[in-house]
């Protein structure tokens, strides 16, 4: 009993079932091999209907029928022939069709999905694959500083949302906001963890509104929760970590600059048994609000909540209590985004004009 073998690819010698659709003689394992061989093959490649060699090697159904009619005495059953798969004709020019990039834009969120003020911006490259939510620090506001920060980072395939804290800070000459009561209205002194109003507002107002916002991004706008990231500075970092730990939504990651989980929640179990969220905490060694030793102790609780393997703390030399001002401070942030943001498809890499290649 004879066994049939697949003819080898003329380029890499891999057994192949596909052949040139023009001459129907040369076999190739892939279109890549076919195009690689085309500069030399095109000298001998002629359409099969005009090539006696091709006709001899690949009989048509009419030829087979004629042979069968002239050999009526043959009793052996005729084998059923299957059509050999063919690759595209390499001599035909390629055509380009501009891709409609609008289908990669997510719907904008509704302003009624939360009581908190926010500013949403679609990705500059037209592909809303990831989402970064920004949280400002005590006494700040979303415009212009944080909306400008979000735009200047130029993260690929990433929409942004800057959220403003709900409570105005009293006695400030310029407008500023706080995520929870931070000052004694009579003395002006900073409130500590022994003040119940801090956590009361976090649990009753801030956390529910932020959970509602994130769920809206997932359910109504179409973002995947593991592609949503939180970025917070100082008190905003506390809020970002609180949302990731106790919001009950498996987020992609958190970056907190100079902010840690509030002391009031350090005995509370996380909302999810297994936390997939990646965490980066940036701490300046010149931060006068929190010495490095204290910061490292606070980081241990973050590790217990999110898992030690999911957490990293970067101590930045020369950095105080503020945003990074040099390459040493920004590099770990950008590396975190580079390692965790989704940006896999070259066709959606945010070029001004993206085309689909067809034959």
């Amino acid at each position: 009993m004879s066994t049939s073998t697949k003819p080898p690819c003329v380029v890499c010698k891999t057994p192949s079932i596909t052949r040139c659709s023009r001459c129907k003689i040369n076999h190739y394992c892939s279109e890549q091999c076919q195009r690689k061989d085309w500069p030399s093959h095109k000298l001998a490649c002629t359409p099969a209907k005009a090539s006696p060699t091709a006709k001899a090697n690949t009989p048509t159904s009419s030829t087979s029928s004629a042979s069968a009619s002239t050999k009526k005495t043959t009793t052996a059953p005729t084998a059923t022939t299957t059509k050999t798969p063919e690759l595209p004709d390499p001599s035909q020019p390629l055509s380009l069709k501009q891709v409609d990039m609008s289908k990669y834009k997510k719907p904008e969120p509704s302003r009624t999905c939360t009581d908190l003020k926010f500013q949403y911006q679609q990705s500059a490259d037209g592909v809303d694959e990831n989402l970064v939510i920004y949280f400002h620090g005590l006494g700040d506001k979303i415009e212009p500083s944080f909306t400008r920060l979000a735009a200047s980072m130029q993260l690929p395939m990433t929409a942004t949302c800057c959220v403003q804290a709900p409570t105005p800070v009293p006695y400030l000459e310029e407008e500023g906001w706080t995520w929870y009561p931070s000052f004694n209205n009579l003395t002006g002194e900073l409130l500590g963890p022994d003040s119940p109003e801090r956590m009361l507002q976090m649990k009753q107002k801030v956390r529910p509104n932020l959970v509602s916002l994130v769920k809206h991004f997932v359910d109504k706008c179409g973002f995947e929760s593991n592609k949503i990231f939180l970025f917070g500075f100082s008190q905003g970092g506390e809020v970002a970590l609180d949302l990731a730990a106790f919001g009950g939504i498996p987020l992609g990651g958190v970056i907190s600059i100079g902010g840690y989980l509030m002391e009031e929640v350090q005995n509370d179990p996380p909302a999810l048994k297994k936390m997939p969220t990646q965490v980066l905490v940036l701490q300046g060694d010149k931060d006068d609000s929190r010495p490095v030793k204290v910061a490292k102790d606070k980081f241990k609780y973050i590790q217990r909540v999110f898992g030690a393997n999911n957490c990293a703390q970067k101590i930045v030399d020369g950095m105080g209590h503020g945003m990074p001002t040099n390459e040493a401070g920004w590099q770990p942030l950008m590396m975190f985004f580079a390692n965790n943001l989704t940006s896999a498809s070259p066709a959606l890499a945010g070029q001004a004009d993206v085309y689909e290649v067809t034959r």
Side-chain angles (χ1 to χ4, degrees), residues 183-347:
F183 298 97
N184 185 308
N185 289 336
L186 296 177
T187 65
E189 294 179 351
L190 196 65
L191 298 177
D194 57 343
S195 302
E197 56 264 47
R198 298 195 339 159
M199 188 47 56
L200 189 66
Q201 177 154 311
M202 284 293 294
K203 288 185 175 181
Q204 292 186 352
K205 187 171 186 178
V206 174
R207 193 185 295 171
N209 270 283
L210 291 177
V211 169
S212 176
L213 176 63
V214 173
K215 286 186 175 180
H216 182 79
F217 276 122
V218 173
D219 298 336
K220 302 300 182 181
C221 300
F223 286 98
E224 297 176 40
S225 67
N226 64 345
K227 296 180 182 179
I228 297 178
F229 296 81
L230 312 180
F231 184 111
F233 169 68
S234 192
Q235 192 183 86
E238 295 178 352
V239 173
L241 289 166
D242 183 272
L243 174 59
F246 307 110
I249 304 171
L251 301 174
V254 179
I255 291 179
S256 176
I257 302 176
Y260 296 82
L261 284 166
M262 299 173 67
E263 292 182 29
E264 296 94 319
V265 300
Q266 292 195 8
N267 292 322
D268 295 352
L272 300 175
K273 291 183 178 180
K274 186 175 181 181
M275 300 292 290
T277 307
Q278 301 295 306
V279 176
L280 172 64
V281 178
L282 210 64
Q283 175 70 39
D285 68 342
K286 304 299 183 184
D287 189 338
D288 54 6
S289 70
R290 185 177 293 110
V292 172
K293 185 180 183 303
V294 175
K296 289 183 176 181
D297 289 339
K298 287 183 171 291
F299 180 67
K300 292 177 182 178
Y301 176 60
I302 294 177
Q303 289 179 304
R304 291 199 300 272
V305 171
F306 294 95
N309 292 335
N310 294 336
C311 301
Q313 184 184 40
K314 176 66 175 177
I315 307 297
V316 182
D317 294 339
M319 178 174 150
H321 189 71
M323 295 292 291
T325 58
N326 54 30
E327 183 179 352
W330 282 108
Q331 186 179 36
L333 303 183
M334 301 312 292
M335 286 299 299
F336 180 89
F337 282 128
N339 292 332
N340 292 286
L341 291 180
T342 299
S343 56
S345 175

Side-chain angles (χ1 to χ4, degrees), residues 41-279:
H41 176 57
K42 67 181 180 181
L43 301 175
C45 182
T46 56
K49 61 182 181 179
S51 171
T53 305
K55 291 181 179 180
N57 283 280
T58 54
T60 61
S61 58
S62 60
T63 305
S64 300
S65 300
S67 299
S69 63
T70 57
K71 297 183 179 181
K72 295 181 179 180
T73 57
T74 303
T75 57
T78 57
T80 302
T81 59
T82 58
K83 185 177 179 181
T84 303
E86 296 174 350
L87 293 166
D89 185 346
S91 66
Q92 296 299 313
L94 299 177
S95 61
L96 299 178
K97 180 177 69 174
Q98 189 165 11
V99 175
D100 179 13
M101 297 300 291
S102 63
K103 63 183 179 181
Y104 298 110
K105 291 183 179 181
K106 298 286 196 297
E108 293 199 8
S110 169
R111 298 290 170 180
T112 61
C113 69
T114 178
D115 293 336
L116 300 175
K117 178 182 177 180
F118 65 88
Q119 186 68 38
Y120 176 78
Q121 183 63 49
Q122 292 179 320
S123 176
D125 56 29
V127 183
D128 300 327
E129 187 72 15
N130 311 288
L131 172 67
V132 177
I133 305 177
Y134 292 82
F135 303 90
H136 64 76
L138 170 63
D140 205 347
K141 55 186 178 181
I142 58 175
E143 294 181 310
S145 57
F146 263 68
T147 52
R148 187 185 300 131
L149 168 66
S152 66
M153 295 188 74
Q154 298 181 350
L155 299 173
M157 300 171 62
T158 302
T160 62
C161 178
C162 297
V163 187
Q164 187 157 287
T167 304
V169 178
Y171 312 124
L172 289 182
E173 293 183 2
E174 295 185 5
E175 177 186 356
W177 299 79
T178 179
W179 292 98
Y180 50 79
S182 300
F183 298 97
N184 185 308
N185 289 336
L186 296 177
T187 65
E189 294 179 351
L190 196 65
L191 298 177
D194 57 343
S195 302
E197 56 264 47
R198 298 195 339 159
M199 188 47 56
L200 189 66
Q201 177 154 311
M202 284 293 294
K203 288 185 175 181
Q204 292 186 352
K205 187 171 186 178
V206 174
R207 193 185 295 171
N209 270 283
L210 291 177
V211 169
S212 176
L213 176 63
V214 173
K215 286 186 175 180
H216 182 79
F217 276 122
V218 173
D219 298 336
K220 302 300 182 181
C221 300
F223 286 98
E224 297 176 40
S225 67
N226 64 345
K227 296 180 182 179
I228 297 178
F229 296 81
L230 312 180
F231 184 111
F233 169 68
S234 192
Q235 192 183 86
E238 295 178 352
V239 173
L241 289 166
D242 183 272
L243 174 59
F246 307 110
I249 304 171
L251 301 174
V254 179
I255 291 179
S256 176
I257 302 176
Y260 296 82
L261 284 166
M262 299 173 67
E263 292 182 29
E264 296 94 319
V265 300
Q266 292 195 8
N267 292 322
D268 295 352
L272 300 175
K273 291 183 178 180
K274 186 175 181 181
M275 300 292 290
T277 307
Q278 301 295 306
V279 176

